[in-house]
Amino acid sequence: MNKVITAQPLTRASFAPFGEVIDFDTDSHYPINNSRCERYHALVKPEAAGPNGHVLVNLFRGTPYDFPLTLSMVERHPFGSQAFIPLSPRPFVVVVCPNGPDGPDEPAAFLTAPGQGVNYPRGLWHGVLTPVGAPQDFVVVDRGGDGSNVEEFYFSHPYEVRLPEDFAP
Ligand SMILES: NC(=O)N[C@@H](O)C(=O)O
Ligand code: NI
């Protein structure tokens, strides 16, 4: 029986030990363009280190996963951060792990509110992009450059990631 991890609602407070939440619930905003636009400013400072490191803006078209999800692998990017910003107001699952002495510690799973995005700081262990219930497109801001920017870790005992009991697809 794999250890069960149930996704919790994503909030700035609950995600603070791991990374940033990208949404409009922030004081960091001000009017621009003669007040015809509100700028939600500097929600994330992308990291792009290593040889020839530079920031990339990408589009990801993700296929949904079935749940409960068997989580056997997490990854991290040693040279850069990675932000996922959904282009459709659907929730998706975020899995992250604290660093342990010999690799990632037990994962934590979050379910975003519709429209919320996240940023994984450089080196944060995370599950791959995990849409729920329908294909979903994302803007992804991460790091390009030379050298290998992905490290994978396979758990000796997979975890079972579940959606909240009250989740309505
Ligand atoms: N491979 C890739 O670009 N995406 C992963 O890093 C991911 O976190 O989904
Ligand atoms: Ni990644």
Side-chain angles (χ1 to χ4, degrees):
M1 171 75 173
N2 295 336
K3 181 158 189 181
V4 174
I5 309 280
T6 301
Q8 303 301 315
L10 179 74
T11 66
R12 274 179 170 72
S14 62
F15 200 63
F18 302 106
E20 295 87 359
V21 172
I22 300 170
D23 66 15
F24 292 100
D25 185 16
T26 172
D27 294 334
S28 174
H29 62 88
Y30 51 87
I32 58 172
N33 302 349
N34 293 323
S35 297
R36 297 185 71 88
C37 179
E38 193 73 8
R39 178 178 171 127
Y40 288 76
H41 180 65
L43 303 185
V44 169
K45 292 179 181 172
E47 301 162 279
N52 297 318
H54 52 274
V55 173
L56 296 175
V57 176
N58 316 276
L59 293 176
F60 279 29
R61 177 154 287 174
T63 299
Y65 286 75
D66 294 329
F67 284 82
L69 175 75
T70 298
L71 179 77
S72 51
M73 187 277 288
V74 289
E75 60 168 41
R76 65 180 176 182
H77 308 297
F79 288 142
S81 57
Q82 191 170 47
F84 293 87
I85 303 156
L87 291 177
S88 55
R90 290 186 55 82
F92 64 102
V93 167
V94 170
V95 175
V96 291
C97 304
N99 261 322
D102 306 311
D105 259 347
E106 182 171 298
F110 300 88
L111 185 69
T112 68
Q116 273 184 326
V118 291
N119 180 66
Y120 303 142
R122 174 182 175 187
L124 177 71
W125 290 108
H126 58 276
V128 297
L129 177 62
T130 308
V132 178
Q136 191 172 14
D137 295 344
F138 293 76
V139 173
V140 176
V141 181
D142 60 11
R143 180 264 185 194
D146 300 336
S148 171
N149 188 33
V150 61
E151 188 182 339
E152 294 182 342
F153 181 92
Y154 287 82
F155 293 111
S156 51
H157 302 290
Y159 292 88
E160 179 178 298
V161 178
R162 291 181 182 173
L163 295 172
E165 294 284 326
D166 61 352
F167 175 70

